[in-house]
Amino acid sequence: SGQELIDQLKVCLQAALKKFYELNSNLPDRVIIYRDGVGDGQLGAVVEHEIPQVLDTFKNLGADYKPKVAWIVVKKRINTRFFAQAGRGLQNPPPGTVVDTEVTRPEWYDFFLVSQSVRQGTVTPCHYNVVWDTSGLKPDHMQRLTYKLCHLYYNWPGTIRVPAPCQYAHKLAFLVGQSIHKDPSLNLADRH
């Protein structure tokens, strides 16, 4: 159920923060969460239910622990396409192209990012919607961080379509759901 998912998220986040503290002797000042698999109709549920639960997790680590937080919803399945002028014709925009005006929604803090190039066909951007932001990062910095995270997937030498944490989460969820057929060992939570 949805509540069980949130409870597990709280457990995992708390364990990750405790491990961070163990390795660094302090907790992070900023926490940036990229959330995949949320449709436009579910954004309200994310803001009303998931984010308060995560913020509550921070309080459990200490009354004075209040990191700056950004929560970014990643949407891959979109129909939007962008093109760059090339002489008299059109071509795919270069990797790193950000569109944050004109086609974005005025009531949202959102942007489109073309993170990779394609050899054939039309490149598909991803849509990023920042639904919670106390990080203090300027929009340009948030966009640049998102693009740089698309370079950090170890299994591919170039850029991938989504930030590496999203791809890792997707791969892990697929592995557990399709191959293991049981809860992963708690010993895995202690690996770094």
Side-chain angles (χ1 to χ4, degrees):
S1 81
Q3 185 59 43
E4 290 170 349
L5 181 67
I6 292 299
D7 290 342
Q8 289 300 317
L9 176 64
K10 288 173 69 173
V11 168
C12 291
L13 179 60
Q14 194 162 6
L17 289 168
K18 285 180 179 179
K19 179 55 85 173
F20 185 95
Y21 183 83
E22 182 182 313
L23 296 172
N24 298 290
S25 301
N26 62 356
L27 291 167
D29 295 329
R30 279 193 184 102
V31 175
I32 299 177
I33 297 172
Y34 286 88
R35 173 73 160 87
D36 195 3
V38 177
D40 289 347
Q42 299 168 307
L43 289 174
V46 169
V47 173
E48 292 173 21
H49 300 291
E50 293 183 22
I51 295 172
Q53 295 291 328
V54 168
L55 297 176
D56 190 51
T57 302
F58 299 141
K59 291 177 189 170
N60 293 341
L61 293 168
D64 58 336
Y65 181 54
K66 294 177 181 145
K68 297 176 180 179
V69 179
W71 193 289
I72 305 156
V73 173
V74 182
K75 290 182 221 141
K76 299 177 293 211
R77 292 184 180 98
I78 61 172
N79 295 319
T80 306
R81 301 293 184 268
F82 298 109
F83 299 95
Q85 194 80 38
R88 299 176 109 188
L90 298 174
Q91 67 182 20
N92 284 319
T97 298
V98 172
V99 177
D100 60 1
T101 59
E102 305 303 325
V103 295
T104 55
R105 296 192 182 180
E107 68 273 13
W108 287 0
Y109 170 8
D110 63 332
F111 61 95
F112 292 89
L113 170 65
V114 175
S115 61
Q116 56 189 172
S117 60
V118 294
R119 295 180 188 201
Q120 188 175 5
T122 305
V123 69
T124 304
C126 285
H127 185 220
Y128 297 88
N129 189 347
V130 183
V131 295
W132 184 269
D133 187 17
T134 60
S135 70
L137 293 176
K138 295 177 183 173
D140 286 347
H141 294 160
M142 187 76 74
Q143 294 160 1
R144 193 172 308 136
L145 172 66
T146 300
Y147 180 54
K148 288 185 176 191
L149 285 171
C150 293
H151 290 77
L152 296 179
Y153 187 61
Y154 77 93
N155 216 17
W156 188 254
T159 57
I160 60 173
R161 196 156 164 237
V162 296
C166 290
Q167 189 68 18
Y168 289 129
H170 176 74
K171 293 286 185 183
L172 182 61
F174 181 80
L175 173 71
V176 171
Q178 297 296 314
S179 305
I180 298 178
H181 303 294
K182 62 180 181 180
D183 289 341
S185 169
L186 290 177
N187 293 333
L188 289 174
D190 196 35
R191 302 289 179 238
H192 55 273

